[in-house]
Amino acid sequence: MARGTIQICSECGFQTAQWLGQCPGCEAWNTLVEERIPTARGAMGRGGASGNGVTGRGRGGGIGSAKGSGGAGGAGLRLAPRLLSEVGSTPVARMSTGIGELDRVLGGGLVPGSLVLLGGSPGIGKSTLTNMVLGNLAAAGQRTLYVSGEESAEQVRLRAERLVLNPAADPGAGPTLAMLSGENRARAAESLNPALKVPILAETDLETVLGTLAGEAPEVCVIDSVQTLNAAELSGAPGSVGQVREVAGRIMELAKARQIAVILVGHVTKDGALAGPRVLEHLVDCVLQFEGERERPYRELRALKNRFGSTNEAGLFEMRQGGLVEVLDASARFVAEATRAPGSVVLAAMEGSRPLLVEVQALVAPSELEQPRRVVSGMDRNRLALVLAILGRHGRVGTAGADVFVNVVGGVRVDEPGVDLAVALAVASASRGVALKGTPRACFGELGLTGELRWVGHPERRLEEARKHGLRDTIAPPGSGAGAREVGTLRDALRAALPAGERDQRPLAVIS
Ligand code: TYD
Ligand code: MG
């Protein structure tokens, strides 16, 4: 074990000099995390590891005067608290990242001196996004720094070249550059491409990174990734909980002191168990999650925590040859791609403050399993179970003995109650093997346990979005307003959506 560090139990705070598998204090397993021994100053500032003074240091200074003077009131200074109304409020300044969707998710842009954690599984596009952000900021005249612990400077340069110079991304630059060759081409590329104007430091040693950061004093810095930096005082491997916490903590101290906005990139594995981003969530100002399926081009950026904005917003991107492209007309695309086949319905959803039309697809097939499968993607699994139960009880669409698959198309995730009706109609349509009337048919609404359809937020914006994309007669809960085909119950909704004669037949899945 490295000198100057101790092992602290993350559950009970027990401290020991040596790493142990089981904490002698609370008997929990694998909870001991390596930390630097707090110094007197450190112990005051960094709440976490302070406390029972294992080292004997950290309590020394000034004890003589403190003793006796405090009594029951404690030995600290007495300050006068202020009324909130007397506290000055300066409007938060924002830097535009040049990427509208990202700015919106951040709450209007990057806040100077803030710490943003960008999490996502490997290969999802975190480096691409942060490269683009720094390129844009550099082009806007900001001082930037890209710290790469993962890739070499050459690798990062190769990506930066691809980003802007790809003809699809920059139609003007492509053909012109293609006509040049060799050295000329390289020089022209350099002068054209702001992504190449970003200073890079390929380094994994924390002290070196901190030293460079302090010296360069950039306004915006990207650390890619927090798991690759190594604090030499700790013996744990880079990426371990102790290391990640130490790295982020030290960077934060410096960033706050120097007003450097920092984007920390962090990998999350599928099970989220890897030491890393999760242990940092409380520390940073903003947690962004980059999601999507690697095989599909769509990527969704969500804020899980944001001290400077709402966590409702989501941004949609498409991964192309030339990097990430904002998807501004997502509704139009998803409606155009909707299959209109049995089992397909369009959901008029709300993504934060923005309406979005997405296709919900269902497949109902006879199951050979004792416990039939329920597979969802893009929504909560428990919600599907609930909708199936309501559908069986109040809509006479039974799915017992059938496998049910439900997919929100395009890799988008819908986390709102309005999805209920779409799932119900998609499953009913799939189970009967008939397409909905007037497909592509839009709908939204929450299902109550007694089979009633309940009002959901922003009906007018959902209806407007549906209308804008040529979908009329949207099935919606009572009180949704003009332009909606309002229905009060699930049964009425099925009647409105399924063609006559098909409504009361027994489902295909159960017949076969
Ligand atoms: P990357 O940003 O390296 O992912 P992460 O940092 O999250 O691990 O990008 C991952 C994938 O994106 C990579 O497999 C290739 C693809 N990609 C493109 O399709 N187009 C591009 O312009 C770039 C830069 C990457
Ligand atoms: Mg990367």
Side-chain angles (χ1 to χ4, degrees):
M1 165 180 153
R3 269 219 230 145
T5 66
I6 42 171
Q7 305 285 340
I8 300 183
C9 174
S10 52
E11 296 289 322
C12 70
F14 185 89
Q15 305 187 352
T16 150
Q18 253 191 338
W19 190 84
L20 300 165
Q22 188 180 25
C23 170
C26 63
E27 300 188 346
W29 286 93
N30 294 324
T31 51
L32 289 171
V33 172
E34 189 181 23
E35 293 205 11
R36 265 189 305 158
I37 293 176
T39 56
R41 187 194 58 81
M44 306 267 294
R46 319 169 71 239
S50 65
N52 28 22
V54 147
T55 62
R57 271 188 282 158
R59 288 205 163 173
I63 282 201
S65 60
K67 249 187 212 164
S69 67
L77 275 182
R78 185 184 164 174
L79 293 176
R82 283 184 295 168
L83 281 181
L84 277 176
S85 60
E86 289 163 7
V87 179
S89 70
T90 35
V92 187
R94 307 263 185 180
M95 291 178 275
S96 170
T97 61
I99 301 174
E101 293 285 278
L102 175 60
D103 281 351
R104 202 162 45 77
V105 174
L106 284 169
L110 202 55
V111 176
S114 67
L115 204 60
V116 176
L117 177 66
L118 174 65
S121 41
I124 208 77
K126 301 178 296 298
S127 302
T128 307
L129 184 69
T130 47
N131 278 187
M132 294 173 73
V133 167
L134 287 195
N136 289 338
L137 286 167
Q142 311 265 15
R143 289 192 313 279
T144 60
L145 179 65
Y146 188 90
V147 178
S148 175
E150 218 149 81
E151 297 161 301
S152 68
E154 288 75 21
Q155 285 170 319
V156 178
R157 185 197 154 112
L158 277 179
R159 178 173 40 233
E161 279 177 9
R162 271 174 73 189
L163 283 181
V164 184
L165 296 185
N166 190 295
D170 188 351
T176 336
L177 280 168
M179 287 186 282
L180 300 170
S181 62
E183 215 172 293
N184 288 341
R185 183 188 161 112
R187 225 175 291 136
E190 234 154 275
S191 66
L192 271 174
N193 190 346
L196 295 177
K197 297 265 182 283
V198 175
I200 177 168
L201 176 72
E203 180 57 62
T204 54
D205 178 55
L206 175 64
E207 295 302 331
T208 312
V209 169
L210 289 173
T212 312
L213 259 181
E216 297 286 316
E219 285 155 294
V220 187
C221 167
V222 168
I223 309 281
D224 189 3
S225 64
V226 67
Q227 278 119 336
T228 50
L229 291 202
N230 181 35
E233 302 115 308
L234 304 192
S235 58
S240 62
V241 175
Q243 282 278 358
V244 165
R245 245 196 332 216
E246 173 76 6
V247 166
R250 297 279 300 282
I251 289 176
M252 185 179 75
E253 273 172 30
L254 183 72
K256 295 282 174 200
R258 305 282 175 105
Q259 281 288 294
I260 306 170
V262 178
I263 302 179
L264 290 174
V265 173
H267 296 294
V268 218
T269 50
K270 274 250 150 45
D271 54 359
L274 183 78
R278 299 243 77 145
V279 302
L280 302 180
E281 284 181 6
H282 65 282
L283 193 77
V284 299
D285 298 306
C286 183
V287 180
L288 302 184
Q289 178 81 13
F290 213 19
E291 294 175 338
E293 296 160 44
R294 259 175 87 158
E295 315 74 48
R296 306 258 185 79
Y298 293 113
R299 302 277 183 272
E300 204 177 12
L301 187 70
R302 285 170 177 278
L304 303 184
K305 162 181 173 178
N306 193 349
R307 288 194 180 138
F308 307 110
S310 146
T311 50
N312 282 330
E313 300 294 347
L316 205 60
F317 295 90
E318 190 181 350
M319 183 59 98
R320 294 227 195 119
Q321 265 306 310
L324 289 158
V325 182
E326 297 170 62
V327 180
L328 299 173
D329 55 347
S331 290
R333 279 200 208 190
F334 291 143
V335 170
E337 287 170 9
T339 59
R340 296 147 204 245
S344 157
V345 69
V346 172
L347 163 68
M350 289 302 291
E351 277 280 349
S353 62
R354 196 173 50 160
L356 177 68
L357 303 179
V358 284
E359 183 189 10
V360 175
Q361 291 186 350
L363 173 68
V364 180
S367 178
E368 282 158 15
L369 300 173
E370 206 166 295
Q371 206 171 14
R373 257 183 288 224
R374 303 282 181 255
V375 183
V376 289
S377 98
M379 64 172 283
D380 180 22
R381 196 165 184 273
N382 292 329
R383 247 203 136 91
L384 172 65
L386 185 75
V387 172
L388 292 184
I390 298 171
L391 207 48
R393 183 71 186 78
H394 299 286
R396 282 198 269 153
V397 180
T399 47
D403 290 331
V404 179
F405 305 85
V406 172
N407 181 20
V408 181
V409 182
V412 183
R413 194 175 167 83
V414 220
D415 273 324
E416 59 135 350
V419 71
D420 289 359
L421 183 59
V423 173
L425 292 184
V427 170
S429 158
S431 144
R432 299 274 154 84
V434 291
L436 297 181
K437 273 196 283 183
T439 179
R441 188 73 186 249
C443 70
F444 62 89
E446 180 180 5
L447 286 177
L449 296 186
T450 58
E452 83 278 16
L453 204 57
R454 306 170 66 118
W455 188 88
V456 288
H458 305 292
E460 63 303 324
R461 305 188 61 180
R462 300 173 195 252
L463 289 167
E464 173 59 31
E465 184 77 357
R467 230 180 346 257
K468 210 165 85 191
H469 293 91
L471 306 184
R472 306 202 172 271
D473 227 15
T474 298
I475 302 178
S480 293
R485 170 81 171 269
E486 291 183 8
V487 293
T489 62
L490 172 63
R491 198 167 294 187
D492 289 343
L494 291 174
R495 209 164 289 145
L498 288 172
E502 301 288 348
R503 288 192 290 264
D504 299 317
Q505 281 181 17
R506 289 171 58 211
L508 283 180
V510 181
I511 294 170
S512 43

